[in-house]
Protein backbone atom coordinates (compact mmCIF):
# COMPACT_ATOMS: atom_id res chain seq x y z
CA UNK A 1 0.00 0.00 0.00
CA UNK A 2 1.08 3.56 -0.65
CA UNK A 3 1.26 6.10 2.15
CA UNK A 4 -2.01 7.69 0.99
CA UNK A 5 -3.74 4.30 0.96
CA UNK A 6 -2.59 3.66 4.53
CA UNK A 7 -4.01 7.03 5.56
CA UNK A 8 -7.33 6.19 3.89
CA UNK A 9 -7.38 2.82 5.67
CA UNK A 10 -6.86 4.53 9.03
CA UNK A 11 -9.49 7.15 8.23
CA UNK A 12 -12.05 4.48 7.28
CA UNK A 13 -11.41 2.78 10.62
CA UNK A 14 -11.62 6.12 12.46
CA UNK A 15 -14.89 7.09 10.80
CA UNK A 16 -16.38 3.67 11.56
CA UNK A 17 -15.26 3.96 15.20
CA UNK A 18 -16.79 7.39 15.78
CA UNK A 19 -19.87 6.24 13.87
CA UNK A 20 -20.16 3.37 16.33
CA UNK A 21 -19.81 5.72 19.29
CA UNK A 22 -22.41 8.11 17.95
CA UNK A 23 -24.88 5.83 16.17
CA UNK A 24 -25.04 2.46 17.94
CA UNK A 25 -26.70 4.00 21.05
CA UNK A 26 -29.59 5.28 18.93
CA UNK A 27 -31.13 1.86 18.60
CA UNK A 28 -30.80 0.80 22.21
CA UNK A 29 -31.01 4.04 24.20
CA UNK A 30 -34.73 3.41 24.74
CA UNK A 31 -33.96 0.18 26.65
CA UNK A 32 -32.00 2.06 29.28
CA UNK A 33 -34.10 5.22 29.09
CA UNK A 34 -37.22 3.18 29.88
CA UNK A 35 -35.48 1.35 32.71
CA UNK A 36 -35.47 -2.08 31.05
CA UNK A 37 -31.72 -2.56 31.50
CA UNK A 38 -28.50 -0.67 32.19
CA UNK A 39 -26.84 1.49 29.54
CA UNK A 40 -23.77 -0.76 29.31
CA UNK A 41 -25.92 -3.81 28.65
CA UNK A 42 -27.98 -1.93 26.08
CA UNK A 43 -24.85 -0.77 24.24
CA UNK A 44 -23.47 -4.31 24.20
CA UNK A 45 -26.75 -5.53 22.65
CA UNK A 46 -26.62 -2.72 20.10
CA UNK A 47 -23.02 -3.57 19.23
CA UNK A 48 -23.80 -7.23 18.58
CA UNK A 49 -26.87 -6.53 16.43
CA UNK A 50 -25.14 -3.73 14.52
CA UNK A 51 -22.24 -6.06 13.80
CA UNK A 52 -24.70 -8.55 12.32
CA UNK A 53 -26.15 -5.81 10.11
CA UNK A 54 -22.67 -4.80 8.98
CA UNK A 55 -21.83 -8.35 7.93
CA UNK A 56 -25.01 -8.57 5.82
CA UNK A 57 -24.76 -5.08 4.35
CA UNK A 58 -22.90 -5.73 1.11
CA UNK A 59 -25.35 -8.46 0.15
CA UNK A 60 -28.57 -6.71 1.23
CA UNK A 61 -27.80 -3.02 0.67
CA UNK A 62 -25.94 -2.93 -2.64
CA UNK A 63 -28.00 0.06 -3.83
CA UNK A 64 -26.60 2.15 -0.98
CA UNK A 65 -23.03 1.26 -1.95
CA UNK A 66 -23.70 2.27 -5.54
CA UNK A 67 -25.27 5.56 -4.48
CA UNK A 68 -22.26 6.70 -2.45
CA UNK A 69 -19.76 5.32 -4.97
CA UNK A 70 -20.93 7.36 -7.95
CA UNK A 71 -24.35 8.82 -7.20
CA UNK A 72 -23.09 12.13 -5.78
CA UNK A 73 -19.78 12.73 -7.56
CA UNK A 74 -19.67 10.90 -10.87
CA UNK A 75 -16.01 11.53 -11.76
CA UNK A 76 -13.46 8.76 -11.19
CA UNK A 77 -12.34 9.34 -7.57
CA UNK A 78 -8.76 9.57 -6.34
CA UNK A 79 -7.11 8.62 -3.06
CA UNK A 80 -6.81 12.29 -2.12
CA UNK A 81 -10.54 12.76 -2.69
CA UNK A 82 -11.37 9.76 -0.49
CA UNK A 83 -9.02 11.00 2.22
CA UNK A 84 -10.65 14.44 2.19
CA UNK A 85 -14.21 13.10 2.42
CA UNK A 86 -13.34 10.71 5.24
CA UNK A 87 -11.48 13.38 7.21
CA UNK A 88 -14.40 15.80 6.99
CA UNK A 89 -16.97 13.22 8.06
CA UNK A 90 -14.88 11.61 10.81
CA UNK A 91 -13.81 14.98 12.20
CA UNK A 92 -17.37 16.20 12.69
CA UNK A 93 -18.87 12.94 13.95
CA UNK A 94 -16.01 12.56 16.43
CA UNK A 95 -16.42 16.12 17.71
CA UNK A 96 -20.19 15.71 18.01
CA UNK A 97 -19.73 12.53 20.04
CA UNK A 98 -17.48 14.36 22.49
CA UNK A 99 -20.18 17.04 22.77
CA UNK A 100 -22.83 14.31 23.32
CA UNK A 101 -24.73 15.29 20.16
CA UNK A 102 -26.30 12.56 17.99
CA UNK A 103 -25.51 13.52 14.40
CA UNK A 104 -25.83 11.85 11.01
CA UNK A 105 -22.82 10.14 9.44
CA UNK A 106 -24.84 10.10 6.22
CA UNK A 107 -25.20 13.87 6.35
CA UNK A 108 -21.50 14.25 7.14
CA UNK A 109 -20.46 12.05 4.21
CA UNK A 110 -22.78 13.95 1.89
CA UNK A 111 -21.25 17.25 3.02
CA UNK A 112 -17.75 15.84 2.59
CA UNK A 113 -18.50 14.54 -0.91
CA UNK A 114 -19.84 17.90 -2.05
CA UNK A 115 -17.15 19.95 -0.28
CA UNK A 116 -14.27 17.96 -1.74
CA UNK A 117 -16.14 17.48 -5.01
CA UNK A 118 -16.35 21.23 -5.61
CA UNK A 119 -12.56 21.36 -5.82
CA UNK A 120 -12.04 17.90 -7.31
CA UNK A 121 -14.55 18.01 -10.21
CA UNK A 122 -17.35 20.50 -9.68
CA UNK A 123 -18.97 19.71 -13.02
CA UNK A 124 -19.36 16.04 -12.02
CA UNK A 125 -21.52 16.66 -8.94
CA UNK A 126 -25.00 15.26 -9.56
CA UNK A 127 -26.83 18.36 -8.38
CA UNK A 128 -30.18 17.34 -9.86
CA UNK A 129 -30.34 14.01 -8.07
CA UNK A 130 -29.14 15.24 -4.67
CA UNK A 131 -32.45 16.79 -3.50
CA UNK A 132 -34.55 13.81 -4.58
CA UNK A 133 -32.24 10.92 -3.73
CA UNK A 134 -30.39 12.28 -0.70
CA UNK A 135 -31.80 15.38 0.98
CA UNK A 136 -35.51 14.50 0.73
CA UNK A 137 -35.18 11.05 2.38
CA UNK A 138 -33.12 12.57 5.19
CA UNK A 139 -35.63 15.31 5.95
CA UNK A 140 -38.87 13.46 5.27
CA UNK A 141 -37.80 10.54 7.45
CA UNK A 142 -37.91 12.75 10.57
CA UNK A 143 -41.53 13.74 9.99
CA UNK A 144 -42.56 10.23 8.96
CA UNK A 145 -40.90 8.67 12.03
CA UNK A 146 -42.57 11.19 14.32
CA UNK A 147 -46.00 10.72 12.72
CA UNK A 148 -45.90 6.91 12.73
CA UNK A 149 -44.79 6.68 16.35
CA UNK A 150 -47.33 9.31 17.41
CA UNK A 151 -50.13 7.31 15.78
CA UNK A 152 -48.89 4.09 17.38
CA UNK A 153 -48.66 5.79 20.77
CA UNK A 154 -52.26 7.01 20.46
CA UNK A 155 -53.52 3.60 19.33
CA UNK A 156 -51.66 1.64 22.00
CA UNK A 157 -52.69 4.16 24.63
CA UNK A 158 -56.32 3.68 23.66
CA UNK A 159 -55.99 -0.10 23.91
CA UNK A 160 -54.30 0.23 27.28
CA UNK A 161 -57.06 2.49 28.59
CA UNK A 162 -59.70 -0.07 27.63
CA UNK A 163 -57.90 -2.81 29.53
CA UNK A 164 -56.06 -4.48 26.66
CA UNK A 165 -52.56 -3.56 27.83
CA UNK A 166 -51.61 -2.65 31.38
CA UNK A 167 -49.67 0.46 32.25
CA UNK A 168 -45.89 0.20 31.86
CA UNK A 169 -44.01 -1.39 34.73
CA UNK A 170 -42.14 0.73 37.30
CA UNK A 171 -38.36 0.73 37.41
CA UNK A 172 -36.58 -1.09 40.23
CA UNK A 173 -33.67 0.53 42.11
CA UNK A 174 -31.09 -1.59 40.25
CA UNK A 175 -32.23 -0.28 36.84
CA UNK A 176 -34.54 -3.12 35.82
CA UNK A 177 -38.23 -2.93 35.01
CA UNK A 178 -40.38 -4.62 37.66
CA UNK A 179 -43.66 -6.30 36.70
CA UNK A 180 -46.82 -4.75 38.01
CA UNK A 181 -48.51 -6.27 41.03
CA UNK A 182 -52.24 -6.72 41.49
CA UNK A 183 -54.36 -7.85 44.41
CA UNK A 184 -56.17 -10.37 42.17
CA UNK A 185 -54.00 -13.41 41.23
CA UNK A 186 -55.55 -13.81 37.75
CA UNK A 187 -55.04 -10.12 36.93
CA UNK A 188 -51.52 -10.20 38.31
CA UNK A 189 -50.64 -13.22 36.17
CA UNK A 190 -52.05 -11.56 33.05
CA UNK A 191 -50.13 -8.37 33.79
CA UNK A 192 -46.89 -10.30 34.35
CA UNK A 193 -47.32 -12.18 31.05
CA UNK A 194 -48.05 -8.96 29.16
CA UNK A 195 -45.03 -7.31 30.73
CA UNK A 196 -42.79 -10.21 29.70
CA UNK A 197 -44.09 -10.05 26.12
CA UNK A 198 -43.53 -6.29 26.00
CA UNK A 199 -40.00 -6.71 27.34
CA UNK A 200 -39.20 -9.35 24.72
CA UNK A 201 -40.66 -7.14 21.98
CA UNK A 202 -38.64 -4.14 23.19
CA UNK A 203 -35.39 -6.11 23.09
CA UNK A 204 -36.30 -7.49 19.67
CA UNK A 205 -37.11 -4.11 18.11
CA UNK A 206 -34.01 -2.48 19.59
CA UNK A 207 -31.93 -5.30 18.11
CA UNK A 208 -33.70 -4.88 14.79
CA UNK A 209 -32.82 -1.18 14.89
CA UNK A 210 -29.16 -2.02 15.44
CA UNK A 211 -29.23 -4.50 12.57
CA UNK A 212 -30.91 -1.99 10.24
CA UNK A 213 -28.40 0.69 11.23
CA UNK A 214 -25.46 -1.56 10.40
CA UNK A 215 -27.17 -2.42 7.13
CA UNK A 216 -27.68 1.27 6.33
CA UNK A 217 -24.37 2.86 7.36
CA UNK A 218 -21.72 0.28 6.46
CA UNK A 219 -22.08 0.50 2.64
CA UNK A 220 -21.57 4.27 2.73
CA UNK A 221 -18.20 4.01 4.46
CA UNK A 222 -17.14 1.02 2.38
CA UNK A 223 -17.97 2.95 -0.81
CA UNK A 224 -15.78 5.93 0.13
CA UNK A 225 -12.90 3.79 1.36
CA UNK A 226 -13.02 1.66 -1.79
CA UNK A 227 -11.97 4.68 -3.86
CA UNK A 228 -8.40 4.21 -2.62
CA UNK A 229 -8.29 0.78 -1.00
CA UNK A 230 -9.59 -1.39 -3.85
CA UNK A 231 -6.87 -0.14 -6.26
CA UNK A 232 -4.39 -0.82 -3.44
CA UNK A 233 -5.38 -4.48 -3.34
CA UNK A 234 -8.15 -4.73 -0.73
CA UNK A 235 -11.56 -6.22 -1.53
CA UNK A 236 -14.85 -4.64 -0.54
CA UNK A 237 -15.44 -7.53 1.89
CA UNK A 238 -12.15 -6.79 3.64
CA UNK A 239 -13.06 -3.11 3.89
CA UNK A 240 -16.44 -4.11 5.29
CA UNK A 241 -14.76 -6.19 8.01
CA UNK A 242 -12.57 -3.21 8.95
CA UNK A 243 -15.68 -1.02 9.17
CA UNK A 244 -17.63 -3.59 11.19
CA UNK A 245 -14.90 -4.24 13.75
CA UNK A 246 -14.02 -0.55 14.12
CA UNK A 247 -17.68 0.30 14.59
CA UNK A 248 -17.99 -2.32 17.34
CA UNK A 249 -14.91 -1.03 19.17
CA UNK A 250 -16.13 2.56 18.91
CA UNK A 251 -19.55 1.74 20.32
CA UNK A 252 -18.13 -0.15 23.30
CA UNK A 253 -15.58 2.55 24.10
CA UNK A 254 -17.56 5.74 23.53
CA UNK A 255 -21.24 4.84 23.22
CA UNK A 256 -22.28 5.97 26.69
CA UNK A 257 -22.11 9.70 25.97
CA UNK A 258 -24.77 9.81 23.26
CA UNK A 259 -26.83 6.95 24.73
CA UNK A 260 -27.56 8.83 27.95
CA UNK A 261 -28.40 12.04 26.11
CA UNK A 262 -30.78 10.31 23.71
CA UNK A 263 -32.27 7.90 26.23
CA UNK A 264 -33.23 10.57 28.77
CA UNK A 265 -32.68 13.98 27.24
CA UNK A 266 -35.49 14.10 24.66
CA UNK A 267 -38.34 12.68 26.74
CA UNK A 268 -38.71 10.57 29.87
CA UNK A 269 -40.16 7.48 28.21
CA UNK A 270 -41.72 4.35 29.57
CA UNK A 271 -41.36 0.74 28.44
CA UNK A 272 -44.18 0.83 25.87
CA UNK A 273 -43.03 4.12 24.36
CA UNK A 274 -39.46 2.84 23.94
CA UNK A 275 -40.75 -0.25 22.17
CA UNK A 276 -42.86 1.83 19.75
CA UNK A 277 -39.96 4.20 18.97
CA UNK A 278 -37.70 1.26 18.12
CA UNK A 279 -40.37 -0.44 16.05
CA UNK A 280 -40.66 2.66 13.86
CA UNK A 281 -36.91 3.22 13.62
CA UNK A 282 -36.07 -0.36 12.69
CA UNK A 283 -38.77 -0.47 10.01
CA UNK A 284 -37.89 2.82 8.32
CA UNK A 285 -34.10 2.45 8.43
CA UNK A 286 -34.28 -1.16 7.26
CA UNK A 287 -36.52 -0.28 4.32
CA UNK A 288 -34.27 2.67 3.47
CA UNK A 289 -31.20 0.43 3.31
CA UNK A 290 -32.94 -2.07 1.04
CA UNK A 291 -34.28 0.54 -1.37
CA UNK A 292 -31.13 2.68 -1.45
CA UNK A 293 -32.68 5.59 0.46
CA UNK A 294 -29.96 7.06 2.70
CA UNK A 295 -32.04 7.67 5.81
CA UNK A 296 -30.24 8.85 8.88
CA UNK A 297 -30.71 6.65 11.96
CA UNK A 298 -30.13 9.84 13.96
CA UNK A 299 -33.06 11.68 12.44
CA UNK A 300 -35.37 8.67 12.38
CA UNK A 301 -34.70 7.60 15.97
CA UNK A 302 -34.98 11.15 17.32
CA UNK A 303 -38.25 11.70 15.47
CA UNK A 304 -39.58 8.36 16.70
CA UNK A 305 -38.59 9.01 20.31
CA UNK A 306 -40.25 12.44 20.18
CA UNK A 307 -43.37 10.91 18.64
CA UNK A 308 -43.56 8.30 21.41
CA UNK A 309 -44.53 11.09 23.81
CA UNK A 310 -47.91 11.25 22.10
CA UNK A 311 -49.84 14.52 21.86
CA UNK A 312 -48.35 15.87 25.10
CA UNK A 313 -45.59 18.03 23.60
CA UNK A 314 -44.79 19.55 26.99
CA UNK A 315 -43.00 16.29 27.84
CA UNK A 316 -40.36 16.99 25.20
CA UNK A 317 -37.17 18.84 26.10
CA UNK A 318 -37.09 21.90 23.86
CA UNK A 319 -33.46 22.66 24.75
CA UNK A 320 -32.27 19.18 23.80
CA UNK A 321 -34.15 19.19 20.50
CA UNK A 322 -32.81 22.69 19.74
CA UNK A 323 -29.24 21.50 20.35
CA UNK A 324 -29.83 18.51 18.07
CA UNK A 325 -31.28 20.67 15.29
CA UNK A 326 -28.34 23.08 15.39
CA UNK A 327 -25.91 20.16 15.21
CA UNK A 328 -27.79 18.67 12.26
CA UNK A 329 -27.63 21.97 10.35
CA UNK A 330 -23.91 22.33 11.04
CA UNK A 331 -23.07 18.74 10.04
CA UNK A 332 -22.82 19.05 6.21
CA UNK A 333 -21.28 22.52 6.42
CA UNK A 334 -18.51 21.51 8.83
CA UNK A 335 -17.76 18.22 7.07
CA UNK A 336 -17.80 19.90 3.66
CA UNK A 337 -15.49 22.72 4.74
CA UNK A 338 -12.97 20.33 6.30
CA UNK A 339 -13.10 18.02 3.27
CA UNK A 340 -12.50 20.94 0.90
CA UNK A 341 -9.55 22.16 3.01
CA UNK A 342 -7.96 18.72 3.14
CA UNK A 343 -8.39 18.19 -0.59
CA UNK A 344 -6.90 21.62 -1.30
CA UNK A 345 -3.81 20.57 0.68
CA UNK A 346 -3.55 16.94 -0.42
CA UNK A 347 -5.05 17.06 -3.91
Amino acid sequence: MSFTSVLVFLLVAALAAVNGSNDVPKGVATLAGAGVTRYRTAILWGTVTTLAGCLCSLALASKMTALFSSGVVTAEPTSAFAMAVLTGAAGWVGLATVLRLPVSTTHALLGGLIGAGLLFASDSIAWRSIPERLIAPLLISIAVAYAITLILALLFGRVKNTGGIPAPAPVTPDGGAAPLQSTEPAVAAREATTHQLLTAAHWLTSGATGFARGLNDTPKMVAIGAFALVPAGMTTWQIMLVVALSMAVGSLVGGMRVAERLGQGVVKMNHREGFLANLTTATLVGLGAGYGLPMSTTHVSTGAIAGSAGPNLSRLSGKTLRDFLIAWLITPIFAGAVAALVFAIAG
Side-chain angles (χ1 to χ4, degrees):
M1 279 191 181
S2 66
F3 178 70
T4 303
S5 297
V6 172
L7 283 179
V8 170
F9 177 89
L10 294 175
L11 285 169
V12 168
L15 177 59
V18 294
N19 172 272
S21 297
N22 198 278
D23 274 25
V24 166
K26 296 161 189 172
V28 296
T30 60
L31 285 171
V36 179
T37 188
R38 298 179 184 276
Y39 277 100
R40 283 295 181 191
T41 306
I43 290 172
L44 180 60
W45 175 236
T47 301
V48 171
T49 54
T50 297
L51 186 59
C54 292
L55 297 177
C56 296
S57 62
L58 295 188
L60 300 179
S62 57
K63 290 183 180 179
M64 193 72 71
T65 306
L67 177 61
F68 277 78
S69 296
S70 58
V72 180
V73 178
T74 59
E76 186 69 25
T78 64
S79 296
F81 177 72
M83 184 170 62
V85 175
L86 291 167
T87 302
W92 172 245
V93 177
L95 177 60
T97 302
V98 172
L99 297 175
R100 302 176 68 231
L101 294 170
V103 296
S104 168
T105 301
T106 304
H107 239 165
L109 284 172
L110 176 59
L113 284 167
I114 295 175
L118 287 171
L119 299 182
F120 171 58
S122 59
D123 57 343
S124 69
I125 298 177
W127 293 110
R128 292 184 179 180
S129 67
I130 288 175
E132 178 183 351
R133 299 178 65 186
L134 292 167
I135 297 178
L138 287 170
L139 297 179
I140 294 174
S141 62
I142 305 175
V144 172
Y146 177 83
I148 291 176
T149 313
L150 174 61
I151 293 171
L152 290 175
L154 292 173
L155 291 176
F156 273 69
R158 184 173 301 173
V159 172
K160 182 192 72 174
N161 292 335
T162 60
I165 296 179
V171 179
T172 60
D174 65 353
L180 293 175
Q181 301 295 327
S182 172
T183 56
E184 298 182 23
V187 175
R190 186 171 68 249
E191 290 176 347
T193 300
T194 302
H195 173 73
Q196 291 172 355
L197 291 174
L198 181 59
T199 299
H202 197 167
W203 280 99
L204 181 62
T205 54
S206 67
T209 300
F211 182 86
R213 199 200 70 73
L215 205 64
N216 191 281
D217 279 2
T218 304
K220 304 166 189 174
M221 291 178 275
V222 170
I224 306 301
F227 293 161
L229 297 180
V230 169
M234 289 188 70
T235 66
T236 53
W237 283 99
Q238 290 172 330
I239 301 171
M240 181 271 293
L241 287 175
V242 171
V243 170
L245 294 175
S246 300
M247 198 182 292
V249 171
S251 65
L252 294 174
V253 172
M256 284 288 291
R257 298 185 67 84
V258 172
E260 292 175 341
R261 186 79 185 274
L262 198 57
Q264 298 175 329
V266 178
V267 62
K268 300 293 184 182
M269 71 187 78
N270 60 38
H271 201 354
R272 173 176 54 84
E273 292 165 349
F275 156 69
L276 295 177
N278 276 335
L279 179 63
T280 300
T281 303
T283 301
L284 290 180
V285 175
L287 289 174
Y291 285 98
L293 299 174
M295 295 181 185
S296 164
T297 311
T298 304
H299 298 167
V300 174
S301 63
T302 303
I305 289 173
S308 71
N312 188 4
L313 298 180
S314 62
R315 292 180 57 196
L316 301 178
S317 170
K319 179 181 182 302
T320 298
L321 292 175
R322 181 201 64 195
D323 291 345
F324 288 2
L325 179 59
I326 292 173
W328 296 350
L329 293 174
I330 292 174
T331 295
I333 299 172
F334 184 99
V338 171
L341 178 62
V342 171
F343 185 79
I345 296 172

